[in-house]
Amino acid sequence: MTGSPGAGRFRAGEAVLSGAGAFDPGRRGVRALAAVAVVVVLVAALLAWRARPRVDPVAPPGIDPVAAGAPFAGDGTAAAGAAPSASGPAQVVVAVGGKVRKPGLVQLPAGARVADALRAAGGADPGVDVAPLNLARKIADGELIMVGVTPPPGAVPAGPAGAAGPGSPAGGPINLNTATLADLDGLPGVGPVLAQRILEARDAQGGFRAVTDLRKVEGIGTARFEQLKDLVTV
């Protein structure tokens, strides 16, 4: 019995499809396809890496070290013509003597006070009254600080070594009738308040006639007078 023409065509198409689906490139073909795929992936990755956004580093602007240390005005601009301030010595050396635990030379930072020098010398001996000392006074390089005793005549315990004020000769006692406020303030146990009282007493009585006139000044008792009497003259 002869089949229909449609059935023959169906079988032919099935054979063609069956042959196409059975295509086998073999091991070499599979390896070649895999190599091509790897190359394509590498090329795509390289292109993507090159196309990434870049950030170029920017060098900071140069800073003039001289301008950087110059003071600035209120509006943020450098003050014109400003010059760096001259700095004093970083440290000072003073001699601490008298009734202290460790008398001798002590080295302290610039701007230190009498209290710092006393502390560096181990403090005063037990029972010693340090009230006559102006513990808040700034010390100067080369000065002598005597604790609990009266310095010998000619010593200048409260000022730089060899320095003499307008009211006293070099290395000598201070003249009460010509001394300035700064001269008197430099005496041991005499601060600016007591120095001003001495000047007012001098003006009130028309000058000191004797060193003992200091006893008339408020704030100078027996102990403080004994400490000052050899350091001043009239």
Side-chain angles (χ1 to χ4, degrees), residues 25-113:
R27 292 185 177 179
R28 292 184 178 179
V30 172
R31 292 176 180 174
L33 292 175
V36 171
V38 171
V39 172
V40 171
V41 172
L42 292 177
V43 171
L46 179 61
L47 294 176
W49 182 80
R50 289 186 175 180
R52 77 188 190 286
R54 296 182 179 180
V55 178
D56 295 331
V58 179
I63 299 177
D64 185 358
V66 177
F72 287 83
D75 57 356
T77 58
S85 59
S87 58
Q91 290 184 326
V92 294
V93 178
V94 298
V96 182
K99 298 178 181 180
V100 292
R101 290 186 174 90
K102 296 184 296 184
L105 298 178
V106 295
Q107 191 172 18
L108 297 168
R113 311 275 178 167

Side-chain angles (χ1 to χ4, degrees), residues 180-195:
T180 64
L181 179 65
D183 295 333
L184 298 173
D185 186 18
L187 291 171
V190 179
V193 175
L194 185 55

Side-chain angles (χ1 to χ4, degrees), residues 157-174:
S168 65
I174 292 178

